[in-house]
Short mmCIF file of all heavy atoms in Angstrom, two decimals:
data_model
loop_
_atom_site.label_atom_id
_atom_site.label_comp_id
_atom_site.label_asym_id
_atom_site.label_seq_id
_atom_site.Cartn_x
_atom_site.Cartn_y
_atom_site.Cartn_z
N ALA F 288 -140.76 -113.33 77.70
CA ALA F 288 -141.39 -112.46 76.72
C ALA F 288 -141.05 -111.00 76.96
O ALA F 288 -141.21 -110.48 78.07
CB ALA F 288 -142.90 -112.66 76.74
N TYR F 289 -140.61 -110.34 75.90
CA TYR F 289 -140.42 -108.89 75.87
C TYR F 289 -141.21 -108.33 74.69
O TYR F 289 -140.64 -107.97 73.66
CB TYR F 289 -138.94 -108.54 75.73
CG TYR F 289 -138.13 -108.81 76.97
CD1 TYR F 289 -137.56 -110.06 77.20
CD2 TYR F 289 -137.95 -107.83 77.93
CE1 TYR F 289 -136.84 -110.33 78.35
CE2 TYR F 289 -137.20 -108.07 79.08
CZ TYR F 289 -136.66 -109.33 79.28
OH TYR F 289 -135.94 -109.59 80.42
N PRO F 290 -142.53 -108.29 74.80
CA PRO F 290 -143.32 -107.73 73.71
C PRO F 290 -143.13 -106.22 73.61
O PRO F 290 -143.09 -105.52 74.62
CB PRO F 290 -144.77 -108.08 74.09
CG PRO F 290 -144.73 -108.22 75.58
CD PRO F 290 -143.37 -108.76 75.92
N LEU F 291 -142.97 -105.75 72.38
CA LEU F 291 -142.79 -104.33 72.15
C LEU F 291 -143.92 -103.86 71.23
O LEU F 291 -144.06 -104.35 70.11
CB LEU F 291 -141.42 -104.07 71.51
CG LEU F 291 -141.00 -102.62 71.33
CD1 LEU F 291 -139.47 -102.51 71.38
CD2 LEU F 291 -141.48 -102.05 70.01
N ASP F 292 -144.73 -102.95 71.73
CA ASP F 292 -145.85 -102.42 70.95
C ASP F 292 -145.29 -101.51 69.87
O ASP F 292 -144.87 -100.38 70.14
CB ASP F 292 -146.82 -101.67 71.85
CG ASP F 292 -148.12 -101.32 71.15
OD1 ASP F 292 -148.15 -101.39 69.90
OD2 ASP F 292 -149.11 -100.99 71.83
N ALA F 293 -145.28 -102.01 68.63
CA ALA F 293 -144.68 -101.27 67.53
C ALA F 293 -145.44 -99.99 67.21
O ALA F 293 -144.92 -99.12 66.50
CB ALA F 293 -144.63 -102.16 66.28
N ARG F 294 -146.65 -99.84 67.76
CA ARG F 294 -147.44 -98.65 67.49
C ARG F 294 -146.93 -97.42 68.25
O ARG F 294 -147.27 -96.29 67.91
CB ARG F 294 -148.91 -98.91 67.86
CG ARG F 294 -149.55 -100.00 67.03
CD ARG F 294 -150.87 -100.46 67.61
NE ARG F 294 -150.72 -101.14 68.89
CZ ARG F 294 -151.68 -101.87 69.46
NH1 ARG F 294 -152.85 -102.01 68.85
NH2 ARG F 294 -151.47 -102.47 70.62
N GLY F 295 -146.12 -97.63 69.27
CA GLY F 295 -145.61 -96.51 70.05
C GLY F 295 -146.74 -95.77 70.74
O GLY F 295 -147.72 -96.35 71.19
N LEU F 296 -146.60 -94.47 70.82
CA LEU F 296 -147.66 -93.62 71.36
C LEU F 296 -148.68 -93.38 70.26
O LEU F 296 -148.39 -92.71 69.27
CB LEU F 296 -147.09 -92.29 71.85
CG LEU F 296 -146.33 -92.32 73.18
CD1 LEU F 296 -145.63 -90.99 73.43
CD2 LEU F 296 -147.29 -92.62 74.33
N LEU F 297 -149.87 -93.92 70.41
CA LEU F 297 -150.86 -93.87 69.35
C LEU F 297 -151.76 -92.65 69.49
O LEU F 297 -152.35 -92.44 70.55
CB LEU F 297 -151.72 -95.13 69.37
CG LEU F 297 -151.01 -96.40 68.92
CD1 LEU F 297 -151.91 -97.59 69.11
CD2 LEU F 297 -150.57 -96.30 67.48
N PRO F 298 -151.90 -91.88 68.42
CA PRO F 298 -152.83 -90.75 68.48
C PRO F 298 -154.27 -91.22 68.28
O PRO F 298 -154.53 -92.17 67.54
CB PRO F 298 -152.38 -89.89 67.29
CG PRO F 298 -151.84 -90.88 66.31
CD PRO F 298 -151.19 -91.95 67.14
N ARG F 299 -155.18 -90.59 68.96
CA ARG F 299 -156.59 -90.87 68.71
C ARG F 299 -156.98 -90.25 67.37
O ARG F 299 -156.48 -89.22 66.96
CB ARG F 299 -157.46 -90.27 69.82
CG ARG F 299 -157.31 -90.94 71.17
CD ARG F 299 -158.17 -90.24 72.20
NE ARG F 299 -158.03 -90.84 73.51
CZ ARG F 299 -158.81 -91.83 73.96
NH1 ARG F 299 -159.78 -92.30 73.20
NH2 ARG F 299 -158.63 -92.32 75.16
N SER F 300 -157.91 -90.91 66.69
CA SER F 300 -158.41 -90.36 65.44
C SER F 300 -159.31 -89.17 65.72
O SER F 300 -160.02 -89.13 66.72
CB SER F 300 -159.21 -91.43 64.69
OG SER F 300 -158.39 -92.52 64.40
N PRO F 301 -159.32 -88.17 64.81
CA PRO F 301 -160.23 -87.04 64.99
C PRO F 301 -161.67 -87.47 64.74
O PRO F 301 -161.94 -88.29 63.88
CB PRO F 301 -159.76 -86.06 63.90
CG PRO F 301 -159.14 -86.93 62.86
CD PRO F 301 -158.48 -88.06 63.61
N VAL F 302 -162.57 -86.96 65.55
CA VAL F 302 -163.98 -87.29 65.38
C VAL F 302 -164.79 -85.99 65.33
O VAL F 302 -164.32 -84.93 65.72
CB VAL F 302 -164.50 -88.18 66.53
CG1 VAL F 302 -163.80 -89.51 66.52
CG2 VAL F 302 -164.32 -87.49 67.87
N VAL F 303 -166.00 -86.13 64.85
CA VAL F 303 -166.90 -84.99 64.72
C VAL F 303 -168.12 -85.26 65.57
O VAL F 303 -168.67 -86.37 65.54
CB VAL F 303 -167.32 -84.78 63.25
CG1 VAL F 303 -168.28 -83.61 63.12
CG2 VAL F 303 -166.08 -84.58 62.37
N THR F 304 -168.55 -84.30 66.37
CA THR F 304 -169.75 -84.48 67.19
C THR F 304 -170.98 -84.47 66.29
O THR F 304 -170.97 -83.93 65.18
CB THR F 304 -169.87 -83.36 68.23
OG1 THR F 304 -170.05 -82.12 67.55
CG2 THR F 304 -168.63 -83.30 69.10
N MET F 305 -172.05 -85.07 66.79
CA MET F 305 -173.28 -85.14 66.01
C MET F 305 -173.84 -83.75 65.73
O MET F 305 -174.45 -83.51 64.69
CB MET F 305 -174.31 -86.01 66.73
CG MET F 305 -173.88 -87.46 66.88
SD MET F 305 -175.13 -88.49 67.66
CE MET F 305 -176.42 -88.47 66.40
N GLU F 306 -173.61 -82.82 66.67
CA GLU F 306 -174.14 -81.47 66.48
C GLU F 306 -173.47 -80.77 65.30
O GLU F 306 -174.09 -79.95 64.60
CB GLU F 306 -173.95 -80.64 67.74
CG GLU F 306 -174.81 -81.09 68.92
CD GLU F 306 -174.24 -82.31 69.62
OE1 GLU F 306 -173.11 -82.74 69.26
OE2 GLU F 306 -174.92 -82.88 70.50
N ASP F 307 -172.17 -81.08 65.06
CA ASP F 307 -171.43 -80.40 64.01
C ASP F 307 -171.34 -81.19 62.71
O ASP F 307 -170.70 -80.75 61.76
CB ASP F 307 -170.00 -80.10 64.49
CG ASP F 307 -169.99 -79.19 65.71
OD1 ASP F 307 -170.89 -78.35 65.80
OD2 ASP F 307 -169.08 -79.34 66.55
N ALA F 308 -171.95 -82.38 62.67
CA ALA F 308 -171.78 -83.26 61.52
C ALA F 308 -172.57 -82.80 60.32
O ALA F 308 -173.65 -82.23 60.45
CB ALA F 308 -172.19 -84.68 61.89
N ASN F 309 -172.02 -83.09 59.15
CA ASN F 309 -172.77 -82.91 57.91
C ASN F 309 -172.86 -84.26 57.21
O ASN F 309 -172.37 -85.28 57.72
CB ASN F 309 -172.11 -81.86 57.02
CG ASN F 309 -170.65 -82.21 56.70
OD1 ASN F 309 -170.31 -83.36 56.52
ND2 ASN F 309 -169.79 -81.19 56.65
N GLU F 310 -173.45 -84.29 56.02
CA GLU F 310 -173.66 -85.55 55.33
C GLU F 310 -172.34 -86.23 54.98
O GLU F 310 -172.21 -87.46 55.06
CB GLU F 310 -174.49 -85.32 54.06
CG GLU F 310 -175.93 -84.92 54.35
CD GLU F 310 -176.76 -84.84 53.08
OE1 GLU F 310 -176.25 -85.26 52.03
OE2 GLU F 310 -177.91 -84.40 53.15
N ASP F 311 -171.31 -85.44 54.60
CA ASP F 311 -170.01 -86.04 54.28
C ASP F 311 -169.37 -86.68 55.50
O ASP F 311 -168.73 -87.73 55.41
CB ASP F 311 -169.07 -84.98 53.70
CG ASP F 311 -169.47 -84.55 52.30
OD1 ASP F 311 -170.18 -85.33 51.64
OD2 ASP F 311 -169.08 -83.45 51.88
N ASP F 312 -169.53 -86.05 56.68
CA ASP F 312 -168.98 -86.63 57.91
C ASP F 312 -169.60 -87.99 58.20
O ASP F 312 -168.91 -88.94 58.58
CB ASP F 312 -169.20 -85.69 59.09
CG ASP F 312 -168.40 -84.40 58.97
OD1 ASP F 312 -167.26 -84.47 58.46
OD2 ASP F 312 -168.89 -83.35 59.40
N TYR F 313 -170.93 -88.09 58.02
CA TYR F 313 -171.59 -89.37 58.24
C TYR F 313 -171.11 -90.40 57.21
O TYR F 313 -170.84 -91.55 57.55
CB TYR F 313 -173.11 -89.21 58.13
CG TYR F 313 -173.76 -88.75 59.41
CD1 TYR F 313 -174.28 -87.46 59.53
CD2 TYR F 313 -173.86 -89.61 60.50
CE1 TYR F 313 -174.87 -87.03 60.70
CE2 TYR F 313 -174.46 -89.20 61.68
CZ TYR F 313 -174.97 -87.90 61.77
OH TYR F 313 -175.55 -87.50 62.94
N ALA F 314 -171.03 -89.99 55.97
CA ALA F 314 -170.64 -90.93 54.92
C ALA F 314 -169.23 -91.46 55.12
O ALA F 314 -168.93 -92.61 54.80
CB ALA F 314 -170.75 -90.27 53.55
N MET F 315 -168.33 -90.64 55.67
CA MET F 315 -166.95 -91.04 55.88
C MET F 315 -166.68 -91.60 57.27
O MET F 315 -165.54 -91.92 57.61
CB MET F 315 -166.01 -89.84 55.64
CG MET F 315 -166.01 -89.36 54.20
SD MET F 315 -165.59 -90.68 53.04
CE MET F 315 -163.92 -91.05 53.56
N GLY F 316 -167.74 -91.73 58.08
CA GLY F 316 -167.56 -92.37 59.38
C GLY F 316 -166.85 -91.53 60.41
O GLY F 316 -166.21 -92.06 61.31
N ARG F 317 -166.94 -90.22 60.31
CA ARG F 317 -166.22 -89.36 61.24
C ARG F 317 -167.06 -88.95 62.45
O ARG F 317 -166.64 -88.11 63.24
CB ARG F 317 -165.73 -88.11 60.52
CG ARG F 317 -164.65 -88.38 59.49
CD ARG F 317 -164.02 -87.07 59.02
NE ARG F 317 -164.92 -86.29 58.20
CZ ARG F 317 -164.88 -86.26 56.87
NH1 ARG F 317 -164.00 -87.00 56.23
NH2 ARG F 317 -165.72 -85.50 56.19
N VAL F 318 -168.25 -89.52 62.58
CA VAL F 318 -169.21 -88.99 63.54
C VAL F 318 -169.25 -89.81 64.81
O VAL F 318 -169.24 -91.04 64.78
CB VAL F 318 -170.62 -88.93 62.91
CG1 VAL F 318 -171.62 -88.38 63.92
CG2 VAL F 318 -170.59 -88.08 61.66
N GLY F 319 -169.32 -89.11 65.94
CA GLY F 319 -169.78 -89.70 67.20
C GLY F 319 -168.81 -90.64 67.85
O GLY F 319 -167.61 -90.52 67.73
N GLY F 320 -169.40 -91.63 68.60
CA GLY F 320 -168.64 -92.51 69.49
C GLY F 320 -167.51 -93.22 68.80
O GLY F 320 -167.60 -93.60 67.65
#
Side-chain angles (χ1 to χ4, degrees):
Y289 289 87
L291 187 151
D292 191 344
R294 296 167 293 194
L296 284 171
L297 289 174
R299 291 178 181 269
S300 299
V302 296
V303 179
T304 64
M305 296 183 67
E306 291 79 6
D307 298 328
N309 56 37
E310 292 186 9
D311 289 338
D312 293 325
Y313 276 109
M315 294 304 296
R317 292 191 289 260
V318 180

